[in-house]
Amino acid sequence: MPEFTDLLFFVFAGLTLLFGFLCVANPLSRNPVTSAMFLVLTIISMAGLFVLLHAFFLAAVQILVYAGAVMVVFLFVIMLLDLKEEARRKLNRVALTAGVLAVSGLAAILVRAVTAARPAALALKAGPLAEGDTAPLGRILFQSYLLPFEILSILLLVAMVGVILLSKKDLR
Amino acid sequence: MNYSLLLVEILVAVLGLGVLLADLWIPAEHRRKLGYAAAAGLTLIFFVGLSDVTETSYAFTAPGARTGMYVFDSLSVFFKEFFLLAGIIVMLLSVAFSDRFTTGVSEFFSLTLFALLGMLFAASANDFVLMFAALELITITFVVLNSYQRNRAASIEAGVKYLILGALASAIMVFGIALVFGSANTTNFNEIFLAQKQLAGNPVFLAGLAMVLGGLAFKVAAVPFQVWAPDVYQGSPAPATAFLAVGSKAAGFVLLLRVLFGVVPQITAQWNHLLVVIAALTILYGSLCAIPQRSLKRLMGYSSIANAGYLLIGFASVSKAGAAGVLFYLGGYLFTVLATFTVLCVILRHTDSDDISSLAGLGQRSPVLAGVLSLSMVSLAGIPPLAGFFGKFLLLKSIVMLGVRDPAYYCLLAVALLGVVISLYYYFGVIKAVYWGGGAVDLSPIPLDWPVRISLTVCVLGMFWLGVFPDHVVKLSTPAVEVLKPEAPASLHEKGR
């Protein structure tokens, strides 16, 4: 049984990397809609990784919110852009170098973090392991992390009011 | 759970929601009065909401942590008073400025209150999660406030720039928090403090910490995260700029104080040369770039960068005296900057441009405004007996003695003094334009309504109070930093022996 989940991990991880690469640097198409579709596939493969980690709720949210709602907004924005103009645009060399530098820096940190992540290397005793069901998640969210949760609810209210104010037609 | 600790925050949140709701029943021509009501409410909260601190208390304990994520101590109370005072004055400014908004007057008041709420939480953050939530509330609210005059392209530009760069800074910071959590297995400040000896050798933790500091450096507009400040300051509506310059910057500084001196003082002691370099570069960048500016708001943007540099001197000193100096300097900065922006609000209502030449003839049109503007420029330049002088004095005093053991501090001192000399030039350029600027067309007197009068009086009294009787605030700021635990860098110890 553990072999099977290990195999699944490599399948999902490989798919995530492959789709992620195709999303940003597709050799066949420079169409933003294709990129967005590959982003959806990346997100879905990532949800598979969450399931393997027993984070079932997070996996469901990943598909519902990110692959569903957020991507629809992305697509709306893409539709509003001038696609032909985007496809014709040349790669900016400075941006490319900066991007490569930033990504390699982050990759170096990640490699370091993964190699350092031995149980003995953890400086502190492990906290209670959160199971991925809704009930323990809800308990953590509404008990110990209640305050940030409430602040974020005010943040959402602010964002809503702001969007209406900034996008409504001429209001009087 | 002790909710009485959060009394101020709860009251401000209720006030903000109340203003938002009251808008439904109040006819458009009376909506400005909501601003007065909000300012009155804040004044009430300022005087009755804050109890004296007897001991450090915590609330909202996360699993695996021994203390809560919300802390109520002398430092947080000092900053809560600071933010509430800034909020009251900014609210009066907003009322004075509100006739320039075509729409959403009461929402502007309400959003200002929510930004204030984020700052109040930032003052009490004892956990990276709460810190991030509070900072996001501040950032997102300011995106809306900055782009509020959406019929002006400059205002939209300010909002978009702040949105994109702010989102980037938040992304860097949240990545850093993830690395910190990954290596420390906690986000609680006290727990990380206890484990910092083991963590100091962990490159993943150090990388995460550096990224968190990068996110905070964006908030305070320190080099190399300063490029947004001039454009955003220039384009935003004046009350939003004022609150951004005072409140948002102070929120970044209280968190920097907590993280650098309260969470990882040992690592900060090793990084003191980095802080010296950043402080020096920030002072130089702000001062030099301010010289050719013609727009008063843009000038204030560069001036705010230079001031962030002076405040970072207190961090570079890695001592309680430096931290207390930061608190004092911020107090003086509050009155000075808000006085400047109050004058700007009134002038901008009558002339559309904020070019320095449009100040010509202000000395005759309104001697009060001209006098207050000159006073704040003199205070910003750091001339006694005003608040700015004593703040700079305290900060420089904290590093003078360190120079004997570590010459880097003498270099920083030299840069700071050079910055003061340069700043004399551009601050006095403003005063010159006010009294001796030629080519004034309109010489009609400018009427002042009473909220503007109150705000000007408070600011001028504050400037003189801090400058002439600094003892009062030093007595407040010294115990406030007692909760911090800075450790002197090793290089300063060894050479001293």
mmCIF file of all heavy atoms in Angstrom, chain A residues 101-117:
data_model
loop_
_atom_site.group_PDB
_atom_site.id
_atom_site.type_symbol
_atom_site.label_atom_id
_atom_site.label_comp_id
_atom_site.label_asym_id
_atom_site.label_seq_id
_atom_site.Cartn_x
_atom_site.Cartn_y
_atom_site.Cartn_z
ATOM 1 N N LEU A 101 17.030 34.613 -12.305
ATOM 2 C CA LEU A 101 17.760 34.817 -11.047
ATOM 3 C C LEU A 101 16.854 34.565 -9.848
ATOM 4 O O LEU A 101 17.230 33.844 -8.912
ATOM 5 C CB LEU A 101 18.303 36.245 -10.989
ATOM 6 C CG LEU A 101 19.664 36.469 -11.640
ATOM 7 C CD1 LEU A 101 20.071 37.918 -11.497
ATOM 8 C CD2 LEU A 101 20.694 35.556 -11.011
ATOM 9 N N ALA A 102 15.639 35.171 -9.886
ATOM 10 C CA ALA A 102 14.728 35.029 -8.753
ATOM 11 C C ALA A 102 14.352 33.575 -8.564
ATOM 12 O O ALA A 102 14.361 33.052 -7.443
ATOM 13 C CB ALA A 102 13.480 35.887 -8.980
ATOM 14 N N VAL A 103 14.043 32.888 -9.684
ATOM 15 C CA VAL A 103 13.614 31.497 -9.566
ATOM 16 C C VAL A 103 14.757 30.629 -9.050
ATOM 17 O O VAL A 103 14.557 29.768 -8.185
ATOM 18 C CB VAL A 103 13.103 30.992 -10.926
ATOM 19 C CG1 VAL A 103 12.954 29.479 -10.902
ATOM 20 C CG2 VAL A 103 11.782 31.638 -11.255
ATOM 21 N N SER A 104 15.990 30.879 -9.531
ATOM 22 C CA SER A 104 17.075 30.023 -9.058
ATOM 23 C C SER A 104 17.361 30.299 -7.583
ATOM 24 O O SER A 104 17.693 29.372 -6.833
ATOM 25 C CB SER A 104 18.331 30.191 -9.906
ATOM 26 O OG SER A 104 18.524 31.525 -10.240
ATOM 27 N N GLY A 105 17.214 31.551 -7.160
ATOM 28 C CA GLY A 105 17.389 31.849 -5.740
ATOM 29 C C GLY A 105 16.379 31.112 -4.893
ATOM 30 O O GLY A 105 16.724 30.453 -3.909
ATOM 31 N N LEU A 106 15.105 31.195 -5.310
ATOM 32 C CA LEU A 106 14.060 30.502 -4.558
ATOM 33 C C LEU A 106 14.285 29.000 -4.597
ATOM 34 O O LEU A 106 14.084 28.309 -3.590
ATOM 35 C CB LEU A 106 12.688 30.846 -5.146
ATOM 36 C CG LEU A 106 12.192 32.257 -4.874
ATOM 37 C CD1 LEU A 106 10.815 32.461 -5.459
ATOM 38 C CD2 LEU A 106 12.152 32.520 -3.384
ATOM 39 N N ALA A 107 14.725 28.486 -5.757
ATOM 40 C CA ALA A 107 14.964 27.049 -5.859
ATOM 41 C C ALA A 107 16.077 26.636 -4.903
ATOM 42 O O ALA A 107 15.973 25.595 -4.240
ATOM 43 C CB ALA A 107 15.326 26.682 -7.294
ATOM 44 N N ALA A 108 17.137 27.471 -4.810
ATOM 45 C CA ALA A 108 18.234 27.140 -3.895
ATOM 46 C C ALA A 108 17.715 27.073 -2.466
ATOM 47 O O ALA A 108 18.045 26.141 -1.709
ATOM 48 C CB ALA A 108 19.336 28.189 -4.006
ATOM 49 N N ILE A 109 16.864 28.054 -2.089
ATOM 50 C CA ILE A 109 16.310 28.047 -0.730
ATOM 51 C C ILE A 109 15.471 26.790 -0.508
ATOM 52 O O ILE A 109 15.574 26.131 0.526
ATOM 53 C CB ILE A 109 15.453 29.304 -0.500
ATOM 54 C CG1 ILE A 109 16.327 30.542 -0.512
ATOM 55 C CG2 ILE A 109 14.710 29.215 0.804
ATOM 56 C CD1 ILE A 109 15.539 31.821 -0.405
ATOM 57 N N LEU A 110 14.662 26.440 -1.525
ATOM 58 C CA LEU A 110 13.784 25.279 -1.376
ATOM 59 C C LEU A 110 14.598 24.001 -1.223
ATOM 60 O O LEU A 110 14.312 23.169 -0.359
ATOM 61 C CB LEU A 110 12.869 25.169 -2.597
ATOM 62 C CG LEU A 110 11.539 25.910 -2.485
ATOM 63 C CD1 LEU A 110 10.691 25.644 -3.694
ATOM 64 C CD2 LEU A 110 10.810 25.476 -1.227
ATOM 65 N N VAL A 111 15.640 23.847 -2.052
ATOM 66 C CA VAL A 111 16.477 22.645 -1.965
ATOM 67 C C VAL A 111 17.082 22.547 -0.581
ATOM 68 O O VAL A 111 17.062 21.513 0.086
ATOM 69 C CB VAL A 111 17.573 22.697 -3.051
ATOM 70 C CG1 VAL A 111 18.623 21.629 -2.785
ATOM 71 C CG2 VAL A 111 16.964 22.503 -4.418
ATOM 72 N N ARG A 112 17.576 23.694 -0.117
ATOM 73 C CA ARG A 112 18.165 23.748 1.212
ATOM 74 C C ARG A 112 17.133 23.360 2.273
ATOM 75 O O ARG A 112 17.432 22.605 3.205
ATOM 76 C CB ARG A 112 18.652 25.188 1.435
ATOM 77 C CG ARG A 112 19.434 25.398 2.661
ATOM 78 C CD ARG A 112 20.842 24.911 2.473
ATOM 79 N NE ARG A 112 21.374 24.572 3.770
ATOM 80 C CZ ARG A 112 22.646 24.658 4.098
ATOM 81 N NH1 ARG A 112 23.522 25.043 3.185
ATOM 82 N NH2 ARG A 112 23.055 24.351 5.297
ATOM 83 N N ALA A 113 15.913 23.894 2.119
ATOM 84 C CA ALA A 113 14.868 23.620 3.108
ATOM 85 C C ALA A 113 14.518 22.144 3.106
ATOM 86 O O ALA A 113 14.341 21.538 4.165
ATOM 87 C CB ALA A 113 13.633 24.466 2.805
ATOM 88 N N VAL A 114 14.427 21.544 1.909
ATOM 89 C CA VAL A 114 14.041 20.136 1.849
ATOM 90 C C VAL A 114 15.138 19.265 2.442
ATOM 91 O O VAL A 114 14.868 18.333 3.211
ATOM 92 C CB VAL A 114 13.747 19.740 0.386
ATOM 93 C CG1 VAL A 114 13.576 18.231 0.269
ATOM 94 C CG2 VAL A 114 12.494 20.446 -0.093
ATOM 95 N N THR A 115 16.405 19.585 2.145
ATOM 96 C CA THR A 115 17.478 18.760 2.698
ATOM 97 C C THR A 115 17.588 18.948 4.205
ATOM 98 O O THR A 115 18.012 18.045 4.915
ATOM 99 C CB THR A 115 18.827 19.099 2.045
ATOM 100 O OG1 THR A 115 18.979 20.515 2.054
ATOM 101 C CG2 THR A 115 18.903 18.588 0.628
ATOM 102 N N ALA A 116 17.199 20.139 4.699
ATOM 103 C CA ALA A 116 17.303 20.389 6.140
ATOM 104 C C ALA A 116 16.123 19.801 6.896
ATOM 105 O O ALA A 116 16.161 19.714 8.114
ATOM 106 C CB ALA A 116 17.400 21.885 6.406
ATOM 107 N N ALA A 117 15.072 19.418 6.180
ATOM 108 C CA ALA A 117 13.833 19.039 6.855
ATOM 109 C C ALA A 117 13.887 17.609 7.362
ATOM 110 O O ALA A 117 13.073 16.787 6.995
ATOM 111 C CB ALA A 117 12.645 19.236 5.923
#
